[in-house]
Amino acid sequence: AAKGHAFSPDTPWQAELEQSFAYTETPDQLVTIDEVKADMEKSAPMDRLICGDVGYGKTEIAVRAAFKAVQDGKQVAVSQHAETFTERFAGFPVSVAQLSRFQSAKESQQVLRDLEQGRIDVVVGTHRLLTGSVKFKDLGLVIIDEEQRFGVEHKEALKAMRTDVDVLSM
């Protein structure tokens, strides 16, 4: 089995982030959050699928997992939800960037440089993250929302990423 990164237990900032959630978590959401964090703290790379209807808090689970990864100095790649991640991390020293086709070439190049040098903690993008042109200084978690929208070649790129980083699919 591949060896991944065993993330540290929650920090006080993790508790602060979680307490800032504007809604009351459902019992299922709380159980899933605990299970995801427990998986992340193991040395084997996590490969977890979270299922649930739209509006039932899957993104918040992803936000908390991403924050846990960043607290350990790891970078996170997320397939969407730039606005949510930016808003949730606003009061913390977490750098969030977006990589999309709507950016200029200059903006994209700057994001790619910053990722490779470790100046970006969380990058949000879609298929662009899987092109092979994106290099991370220390990727620790990949979050894939609506994985069924990815084609075969993208799924192969995702499988290659899964060998030593934690993966959370929704």
Side-chain angles (χ1 to χ4, degrees), residues 18-166:
E18 293 181 8
Q19 290 165 2
S20 72
F21 187 48
Y23 304 96
T24 301
E25 298 90 342
T26 66
D28 286 345
Q29 196 177 19
L30 289 170
V31 167
T32 304
I33 289 164
D34 288 343
E35 290 174 352
V36 166
K37 288 196 232 175
D39 281 357
M40 290 177 73
E41 291 176 14
K42 295 176 182 168
S43 62
M46 172 180 69
D47 191 359
R48 181 174 279 272
L49 173 64
I50 296 176
C51 299
D53 290 332
V54 171
Y56 278 87
K58 294 182 302 294
T59 303
E60 180 62 17
I61 295 165
V63 163
R64 293 179 187 195
F67 196 79
K68 184 172 187 68
V70 169
Q71 291 299 289
D72 250 24
K74 295 290 188 176
Q75 292 173 298
V76 180
V78 186
S79 67
Q80 59 181 331
H81 304 295
E83 191 174 314
T84 300
F85 278 82
T86 301
E87 287 173 6
R88 292 290 284 127
F89 295 159
F92 300 93
V94 176
S95 61
V96 179
Q98 193 166 5
L99 195 56
S100 78
R101 65 180 187 261
F102 302 113
Q103 293 171 302
S104 70
K106 184 179 179 183
E107 289 170 324
S108 292
Q109 288 305 316
Q110 185 62 53
V111 169
L112 292 172
R113 274 192 302 277
D114 289 348
L115 268 175
E116 192 169 3
Q117 294 172 2
R119 290 194 294 260
I120 293 174
D121 299 310
V122 178
V123 63
V124 183
T126 53
H127 299 81
R128 179 81 191 270
L129 293 173
L130 306 175
T131 62
S133 66
V134 180
K135 292 179 179 47
F136 295 87
K137 182 175 183 183
D138 195 4
L139 181 64
L141 177 64
V142 176
I143 300 170
I144 306 153
D145 196 357
E146 300 183 57
E147 187 177 11
Q148 70 274 10
R149 290 191 181 174
F150 291 104
V152 173
E153 71 184 52
H154 294 113
K155 287 187 180 180
E156 290 304 313
L158 288 169
K159 282 181 194 171
M161 285 179 139
R162 290 176 187 204
T163 59
D164 60 356
V165 301
D166 285 15

